Amino acid sequence: MSLEQTDGQKVYTNDDDSEEPEIDRGLFEAWAAKTIKNPKRTYKALFYTATIFFLVTTLFPFYWLFMVALTPRRNLQDVGLVPSGFDPSLLAQGDLTMGTNPGVFLEVFTIIPFHRYMFNSFVIATVTTIVVIIVASLAGYVFGRLRFPGKGPLMLLVLIVSFFPPAAFFIPLNDLFNTNIDILRPILADGSLYNTPYAMVVPFSAIFMPLSIFILTTFYSQIPDGLEDAARIEGTTRLGALFRVIMPLSAPGVATAGVLTFIAVYNEFFFSFLMTDGSADNWAPIVDGILQYQGQYEVLFNVMAAASIVGVLPVAILVVVAQEKIVSGLTAGALKE
Amino acid sequence: MGNVKLEHMTKRYDDVTAVDDMNLDIKDGEFVTFVGPSGCGKSTTMETIAGLTKPTEGTISISGRDVTNLPPKDRGISMVFQNIALFPHMDVFDNISFGLRLRKYDDEEIQRRVDRAADIVQLENMQDRMPE
């Protein structure tokens, strides 16, 4: 309070004397004056502050996971910013691990068949993504490029469906998937979808479809009509034009929808956890695998952490690769009619 | 080549009538031009003949065959668009050969025809370039 008052007074006297002021400024005021003179510096500083903030908040959990994973099991009750028991001086004694436990990343696969869980998740996510992209492409084509009565209400309906919480679908679906259906008997062991990948692919496709429909509708509506007409004159059907011309030209949009769907399915917990009995042979995804490390008397937090990291890596790599594609598609896709 | 015949062709969009009861008989080899102010239905007529839009009423026949309900690819017609319609994601070869590939010509035949077409428009050494 007193600081503000003295500041005010100083400004006042300067105006009054109307001479070049030689104010003695506080630290903060000096900084403010500098930034007014050179705003680019401030923007840069703000940019770095924000970047570092978001980097820390996103990457710290991974760092923490990594630390927990590396902590030897006997030290698990005492996890710090470095793995408990970490001692660089051990390196001199020939202990390359320096008191940590990198072997945990192998344990992940020896305690349970974690690779099988990863494979299951991968298959479920891939199949769902393919189904979603194909069906959402058809819907996106219709919503984005055709004019027909009732288009608005129909899109609204799609939007409304996406507002339902997935949990609302669970009980009826679980009931349905546990019913033995005779027609399915030749394909599925006991004629029910429970404990099969279909029990997850079907609801996931439905739940994540609306988002992809909206993304693809926007992209497909921007492709000039002339290109589609030309393709149809040259000898494709409407469907052929969609897959040969419209989809390739909307590659960034298709990639975005695909990546978002893939990640969402790969991360999904609720249906993944409840639609199988949790064993790897019954198509249980990664979530179930990680929970398998929780025994009756002991929870292997370090192995769980290691498994989480192992599970995230393939998707992280995939997203980085796909992102490059998305960006290159965005910059190279300059359309001209 | 063949005769093109429009009979009582009418096209309505919602509440706008773009073409109203048009009758036209184009003989084989005849050269016909549509001229008129914008919005008078020239493009709509072309599009209905090509099959890009379906007429609301009336029939269209080419060489005596009723094509009113056929998709464009089964009408055996070609069309040059007002705007250049190059496929931006395909190179010169793919652009020229698009129709041939769709009609399942064999590779040598496609290559031969593309070479000839590229030769005519002096694009012979640029078949792997992308449209700009």
Side-chain angles (χ1 to χ4, degrees):
Chain A
M1 197 59 181
S2 64
L3 191 80
E4 265 176 38
Q5 274 174 346
T6 48
D7 284 353
Q9 220 139 38
K10 261 181 196 135
V11 172
Y12 179 71
T13 43
N14 286 337
D15 278 357
D16 203 29
D17 299 349
S18 66
E19 61 180 33
E20 195 57 35
E22 193 51 58
I23 337 157
D24 66 303
R25 284 171 158 141
L27 252 182
F28 182 73
E29 272 200 335
W31 179 79
K34 227 185 222 169
T35 61
I36 289 165
K37 232 182 272 167
N38 193 357
K40 268 193 186 149
R41 241 174 77 113
T42 321
Y43 293 145
K44 222 173 189 176
L46 285 175
F47 170 76
Y48 282 120
T49 315
T51 311
I52 288 167
F53 174 77
F54 285 113
L55 271 182
V56 168
T57 47
T58 28
L59 292 182
F60 183 75
F62 285 101
Y63 174 76
W64 182 257
L65 269 181
F66 197 59
M67 290 306 109
V68 174
L70 285 179
T71 306
R73 196 175 303 167
R74 60 181 180 281
N75 294 336
L76 269 178
Q77 70 279 17
D78 177 28
V79 179
L81 278 180
V82 294
S84 173
F86 175 71
D87 184 3
S89 63
L90 286 173
L91 192 61
Q93 296 166 28
D95 181 2
L96 286 174
T97 64
M98 292 181 279
T100 61
N101 180 25
V104 72
F105 288 101
L106 291 177
E107 256 181 88
V108 164
F109 297 100
T110 52
I111 299 177
I112 58 161
F114 191 68
H115 47 279
R116 178 67 209 269
Y117 285 99
M118 283 180 72
F119 173 78
N120 294 348
S121 269
F122 209 79
V123 168
I124 291 166
T126 309
V127 174
T128 309
T129 306
I130 291 169
V131 171
V132 166
I133 290 296
I134 291 174
V135 180
S137 278
L138 299 175
Y141 177 87
V142 171
F143 283 134
R145 304 187 65 82
L146 302 184
R147 289 173 55 205
F148 57 94
K151 180 158 121 180
L154 217 56
M155 278 200 93
L156 204 64
L157 193 71
V158 174
L159 191 68
I160 289 169
V161 169
S162 72
F163 283 158
F164 276 97
F169 301 128
F170 174 70
I171 292 177
L173 277 180
N174 196 31
D175 199 36
L176 176 71
F177 291 163
N178 272 303
T179 312
N180 296 330
I181 302 165
D182 283 335
I183 311 166
L184 295 175
R185 250 180 239 283
I187 325 168
L188 307 165
D190 55 357
S192 83
L193 288 175
Y194 186 74
N195 278 341
T196 67
Y198 308 106
M200 283 161 282
V201 169
V202 172
F204 289 159
S205 304
I207 290 167
F208 299 121
M209 189 78 72
L211 177 69
S212 291
I213 291 179
F214 279 99
I215 293 174
L216 293 180
T217 300
T218 325
F219 272 85
Y220 291 173
S221 67
Q222 287 167 2
I223 305 297
D225 285 341
L227 290 175
E228 191 194 344
D229 289 345
R232 287 176 62 203
I233 295 274
E234 291 253 23
T236 64
T237 53
R238 275 182 185 275
L239 212 59
L242 168 63
F243 288 112
R244 282 166 185 275
V245 175
I246 297 170
M247 260 178 96
L249 286 176
S250 314
V254 177
T256 310
V259 166
L260 288 180
T261 308
F262 191 93
I263 297 173
V265 174
Y266 201 80
N267 282 338
E268 214 274 351
F269 175 77
F270 189 67
F271 284 86
S272 309
F273 184 54
L274 294 169
M275 284 302 188
T276 63
D277 62 6
S279 80
D281 295 331
N282 286 332
W283 293 92
I286 286 182
V287 182
D288 285 296
I290 292 173
L291 290 173
Q292 296 286 317
Y293 298 116
Q294 178 176 359
Q296 195 175 354
Y297 302 108
E298 194 184 19
V299 182
L300 304 174
F301 287 118
N302 57 336
V303 189
M304 282 174 140
S308 305
I309 292 172
V310 171
V312 161
L313 277 182
V315 181
I317 292 166
L318 180 94
V319 170
V320 168
V321 171
Q323 219 150 32
E324 212 130 279
K325 279 253 154 55
I326 295 171
V327 173
S328 72
L330 282 175
T331 49
L335 264 184
K336 181 177 156 193
E337 198 183 353
Chain B
M1 301 289 254
N3 304 332
V4 174
K5 199 168 185 181
L6 306 185
E7 283 171 299
H8 303 290
M9 200 273 284
T10 300
K11 177 68 190 176
R12 276 189 287 269
Y13 293 104
D14 295 332
D15 48 353
V16 184
T17 306
V19 182
D20 192 10
D21 193 27
M22 182 169 180
N23 290 285
L24 178 70
D25 200 348
I26 304 175
K27 295 272 174 303
D28 191 359
E30 217 175 340
F31 186 89
V32 177
T33 313
F34 294 153
V35 185
S38 58
C40 75
K42 308 182 294 289
S43 304
T44 310
T45 309
M46 294 297 290
E47 281 173 15
T48 43
I49 295 173
L52 293 171
T53 53
K54 256 187 204 167
T56 320
E57 287 163 26
T59 57
I60 298 156
S61 48
I62 298 174
S63 306
R65 187 169 63 126
D66 184 0
V67 296
T68 315
N69 291 311
L70 285 183
K73 71 185 184 73
D74 298 330
R75 296 190 179 198
I77 39 101
S78 291
M79 184 166 175
V80 176
F81 289 86
Q82 210 164 341
N83 317 319
I84 25 162
L86 289 171
F87 301 118
H89 60 301
M90 299 182 193
D91 62 22
V92 172
F93 178 86
D94 288 342
N95 259 295
I96 298 176
S97 64
F98 187 68
L100 299 172
R101 283 183 287 131
L102 287 171
R103 295 197 160 86
K104 304 268 188 280
Y105 280 78
D106 57 53
D107 288 350
E108 288 115 61
E109 178 67 10
I110 292 176
Q111 187 64 56
R112 204 179 59 75
R113 291 196 185 201
V114 170
D115 282 342
R116 209 185 60 194
D119 203 35
I120 294 169
V121 292
Q122 296 175 357
L123 276 174
E124 55 280 87
N125 296 322
M126 301 178 195
Q127 289 191 14
D128 49 0
R129 290 233 197 132
M130 301 299 284
E132 279 171 14

